[in-house]
Amino acid sequence: MKSLFQKDFFGGGRIDETPHLSKAFDMPSPSERDLKFIELAFEQARMALASGNLPIGAVIVHNDQVISRGHNLVDSECSDLNHAEILAIRKIERYLFKHKGACEIFTTVEPCLMCMGAIYNFKFSRIVFGCKDLNAGFSTRRADLPPSFVRRNAEVIGPVWPKESVALIRDYCERTGRRTHLLDAWT
């Protein structure tokens, strides 16, 4: 029997077509505060786009203060590790280590498994994202994660601005002609 990852990845249904799992991803609505910080993440995404990168941005917040920002630099620095979330985390990883469970992350696109690994390891209390990523987003692949990893108690809110997120990604694809196959993965 195929896992949900294999079923989805190899052409089967998407996670939201699986009723017993979709309930696990019912997410609360964003607050005005959330929208303020997600707008800052969008500023970072626009910086990524301006530098020729896939427009994804992230901000990290502690006690209602932005303590780090990052935007995708994968294309310009030729490194698949330079995701917005990872770059924002790396800037302040010692601070995060000392404040596990007290910080939040706001990102324009649902984090991938690599980014979620870092987010979960630093025990972020909340994750707010702009649009789902049906290609590589963590909620699509969550069924394949070990139970100890999934049980982390981060509150997840999203998608909060899917149209805005997809519009930036579409702009990137039109400008660069790259990654156009990914447009179907962002909703």
Side-chain angles (χ1 to χ4, degrees):
M1 179 176 181
K2 291 181 179 178
S3 72
L4 284 175
F5 169 74
Q6 292 168 323
K7 181 180 173 190
D8 181 47
F9 187 76
F10 294 108
R14 291 186 166 148
I15 194 89
D16 36 6
E17 295 171 356
T18 311
H20 69 283
L21 283 177
S22 63
K23 291 179 184 173
F25 300 109
D26 288 340
M27 299 177 198
S29 298
S31 66
E32 288 299 317
R33 176 186 172 278
D34 293 338
L35 297 178
K36 176 182 96 171
F37 289 123
I38 202 79
E39 174 56 36
L40 297 176
F42 272 88
E43 288 177 12
Q44 292 296 305
R46 287 187 281 276
M47 291 172 65
L49 181 61
S51 63
N53 291 283
L54 189 64
I56 301 174
V59 297
I60 299 174
V61 174
H62 183 233
N63 292 332
D64 288 328
Q65 298 293 316
V66 174
I67 58 173
S68 187
R69 302 166 195 255
H71 59 275
N72 186 357
L73 293 174
V74 169
D75 295 332
S76 63
E77 295 191 6
C78 301
S79 173
D80 288 331
L81 297 176
N82 287 341
H83 290 203
E85 301 92 334
I86 296 296
L87 294 173
I89 288 169
R90 293 299 311 261
K91 289 177 184 176
I92 59 164
E93 62 188 299
R94 288 181 183 205
Y95 183 89
L96 291 171
F97 187 82
K98 293 176 183 176
H99 295 90
K100 285 187 177 183
C103 297
E104 306 165 83
I105 191 161
F106 297 79
T107 183
T108 57
V109 174
E110 175 184 22
C112 70
L113 287 176
M114 174 182 71
C115 294
M116 277 309 286
I119 290 166
Y120 275 153
N121 281 326
F122 281 107
K123 297 179 173 62
F124 280 79
S125 61
R126 296 178 76 238
I127 303 150
V128 180
F129 64 88
C131 72
K132 288 189 70 131
D133 178 353
L134 297 175
N135 183 50
F138 78 92
S139 67
T140 306
R141 306 290 181 233
R142 191 169 177 175
D144 293 318
L145 298 174
S148 60
F149 193 78
V150 175
R151 281 195 294 268
R152 304 282 167 98
N153 289 326
E155 178 184 22
V156 178
I157 299 174
V160 297
W161 280 357
K163 290 178 183 173
E164 294 85 346
S165 298
V166 173
L168 280 175
I169 293 163
R170 184 167 282 112
D171 189 14
Y172 165 84
C173 292
E174 289 171 0
R175 285 185 190 192
T176 66
R178 294 189 300 237
R179 299 186 186 165
T180 55
H181 66 285
L182 296 177
L183 282 174
D184 293 336
W186 279 291
T187 60

